[in-house]
Amino acid sequence: MSDKESLVEQKPFIPFSRPWIDDTEIEAVSQVLASKWISSGARVREFERAFAEYLGVKHAIAVSSCTAALHLSLVVTGIGIGDEVITTPYTFTATAEAIRYVGAKPVFVDIVPDTLNIDIAKIEQAITTKTKAIMPVHIAGLPCDMDVLQKICHKHNLILIDDAAHALPTQYNGHYIGNIGDLSAFSFYANKNLTTAEGGMITTNNDAYAEQLQTMRLHGIDKDAWSRQSRRSIWRYDITSEGYKYNMTDIQAAIGLCQLMKLNKQHERRRKFAEIYHSELQKFSQIRTPFVPDNETEHAWHLYIIQLQETDRDEFVETLREENIECSVHYIPLHLFDFYQKQYDYKEGDFPYAEEVFERVVSLPLHPGMTNDDIYIVIEAIGKVLKE
Ligand SMILES: *Cc1c(COP(=O)(O)O)cnc(C)c1O
């Protein structure tokens, strides 16, 4: 084979996800490094203000990850040992892990197979005297029914903490996720819709929570508290609450500010790609395309999750891989993992819809750095794989 022939043979590799980074982020990080103020400072405050303004929420508190954001949200609302928090088994482990951090129990409620979100109709049956909060996850960026969740929380005096790791920018009835729950936790991990490499944000309209969170995320240190008491030297500080090492750095915040500027643009691209997938994949009887919400609701399209019928999922993913197309699977239900079975007595069969859906789902490549051509390459490869 000549060089030319081998080039023709080569299929482009389509990665599942890639961060949308360009020279603006590189320049912004360089500026922070050159300034010599590299940990938490002015950039973090600027990022928090811009993020809160984007969502129209009163407070945004930057932290080191979404896991930290979920943990602090539970701490600030006083949830602890012996309490129960209702969530979905169909999520990343971080959701339930954060509940364990405070010594509470993650109580799983099965999902609706269509939306992949927690089945709201089953929540009230799971509420006990120990239940303190509901922690829904807006899977793939499709919002849970927040009106109903708020009603349930109000009726049973529960706190609504949403895992909004996928939900940027997601709108529910014309309001952004992050501006509806008591506290919302966002992720800026490398593959998320907005990335700071690692990072997270808590949003809330509650002034008291916000004030405590700002202190708790950095060792419980309150410099203002001391200066209010005395006019002593600037190195003095007080520890006013329990503390954690969960602060965000200015390096991360500088990336986040650039990413926030591009958020609408990246969302437009994701939405357009999802539309192409949607219209083209309807042709295949073996594929169920994801649920698309009505106009009042904006899907963030963090993930494009299809459900296969009468097709072996693992084989489908492997064959696409041979076609140089990288897919993923979201999620292995948490109650199937060894740790959750040992720790909380969950077992196979407990959440049949989560299990059934898990066997069928495939997350297709979807990220703003893709082109229309890339999407059609994926669709063509899927057609080939399904024919074989
Ligand atoms: C990514 C993710 C998290 C964790 O985010 P980190 O920022 O990595 O801590 C939590 N929940 C869900 C649903 C996620 O996808």
Side-chain angles (χ1 to χ4, degrees):
M1 210 166 28
S2 74
D3 278 358
K4 201 171 169 198
E5 272 166 337
S6 71
L7 266 182
V8 173
E9 283 287 303
Q10 241 172 35
K11 296 169 195 153
F13 174 69
I14 311 229
F16 170 66
S17 176
R18 278 280 182 279
W20 211 34
I21 304 280
D22 58 47
D23 288 346
T24 33
E25 282 89 352
I26 296 167
E27 176 58 29
V29 168
S30 301
Q31 276 180 19
V32 173
L33 289 172
S35 81
K36 305 284 197 291
W37 191 286
I38 58 177
S39 191
S40 305
R43 288 284 93 75
V44 170
R45 283 193 295 276
E46 203 181 323
F47 182 38
E48 288 173 335
R49 272 197 298 270
F51 195 84
E53 193 179 326
Y54 183 93
L55 297 180
V57 67
K58 255 173 115 177
H59 306 283
I61 300 96
V63 287
S64 53
S65 70
C66 178
T67 313
L70 291 168
H71 182 196
L72 288 185
S73 298
L74 292 160
V75 173
V76 81
T77 49
I79 294 165
I81 294 165
D83 293 338
E84 293 178 355
V85 176
I86 291 173
T87 189
T88 169
Y90 199 78
T91 182
F92 184 55
T93 188
T95 318
E97 183 185 323
I99 297 168
R100 183 187 55 79
Y101 286 173
V102 295
K105 180 188 174 181
V107 172
F108 298 135
V109 167
D110 208 353
I111 58 164
V112 177
D114 248 5
T115 64
L116 308 177
N117 282 336
I118 190 166
D119 188 348
I120 282 165
K122 293 194 180 121
I123 286 180
E124 285 199 282
Q125 295 156 236
I127 294 173
T128 71
T129 51
K130 295 177 182 170
T131 310
K132 292 284 152 60
I134 303 176
M135 194 180 272
V137 184
H138 314 286
I139 291 290
L142 176 72
C144 296
D145 194 334
M146 295 299 272
D147 273 353
V148 177
L149 282 169
Q150 278 183 315
K151 280 194 190 107
I152 296 172
C153 284
H154 200 248
K155 182 173 158 198
H156 298 273
N157 198 21
L158 306 176
I159 293 153
L160 185 55
I161 301 170
D162 50 336
D163 178 337
H166 298 183
L168 186 68
T170 292
Q171 286 185 51
Y172 170 84
N173 284 349
H175 297 281
Y176 279 111
I177 291 297
N179 192 15
I180 302 172
D182 292 308
L183 296 134
S184 304
F186 290 90
S187 173
F188 307 139
Y189 179 66
N191 68 1
K192 295 296 177 0
N193 288 8
L194 183 159
T195 187
T196 62
E198 298 278 0
M201 192 77 83
I202 310 165
T203 59
T204 183
N205 285 306
N206 183 306
D207 298 340
Y209 288 161
E211 195 180 331
Q212 284 181 65
L213 287 166
Q214 269 148 17
T215 312
M216 283 198 310
R217 61 136 170 230
L218 190 60
H219 304 298
I221 290 174
D222 190 340
K223 285 197 168 160
D224 297 337
W226 190 275
S227 61
R228 276 197 296 269
Q229 304 276 326
S230 70
R231 303 223 173 273
R232 310 263 296 270
S233 24
I234 54 159
W235 51 264
R236 283 197 188 271
Y237 58 85
D238 195 8
I239 308 285
T240 56
S241 78
E242 66 180 284
Y244 298 85
K245 177 63 181 178
Y246 279 162
N247 57 308
M248 178 182 272
T249 69
D250 268 16
I251 297 174
Q252 292 165 302
I255 302 172
L257 279 161
C258 298
Q259 292 268 305
L260 191 59
M261 299 283 287
K262 299 195 289 201
L263 186 60
N264 287 342
K265 216 164 123 194
Q266 74 86 32
H267 181 232
E268 275 309 306
R269 295 182 70 80
R270 284 179 185 272
R271 190 165 57 185
K272 181 181 71 178
F273 297 152
E275 273 165 17
I276 301 174
Y277 273 148
H278 198 75
S279 58
E280 297 291 326
L281 296 177
Q282 306 272 0
K283 295 193 295 228
F284 303 109
S285 62
Q286 303 99 319
I287 290 178
R288 231 167 83 192
T289 51
F291 179 84
V292 177
D294 65 30
N295 295 335
E296 285 292 285
T297 295
E298 192 66 55
H299 195 308
W301 295 113
H302 170 55
L303 298 171
Y304 191 87
I305 305 177
I306 59 168
Q307 298 187 36
L308 295 173
Q309 346 245 24
E310 285 141 26
T311 308
D312 186 90
R313 191 268 316 280
D314 293 0
E315 209 176 298
F316 180 89
V317 172
E318 273 320 298
T319 323
L320 275 177
R321 179 78 218 193
E322 282 157 23
E323 296 290 318
N324 254 350
I325 289 160
E326 187 181 48
C327 296
S328 190
V329 169
H330 299 88
Y331 284 97
I332 305 171
L334 297 182
H335 71 286
L336 299 183
F337 286 117
D338 185 56
F339 174 78
Y340 287 98
Q341 297 194 345
K342 279 198 197 127
Q343 188 80 11
Y344 303 110
D345 276 342
Y346 287 121
K347 57 187 186 310
E348 205 178 324
D350 282 351
F351 308 102
Y353 283 126
E355 288 171 36
E356 186 192 315
V357 154
F358 159 60
E359 296 296 338
R360 289 186 288 170
V361 284
V362 179
S363 303
L364 300 181
L366 181 67
H367 51 95
M370 291 176 83
T371 63
N372 284 7
D373 285 352
D374 291 335
I375 300 290
Y376 282 107
I377 288 170
V378 176
I379 291 160
E380 207 174 294
I382 288 173
K384 194 177 152 199
V385 167
L386 287 178
K387 237 183 249 147
E388 276 167 7

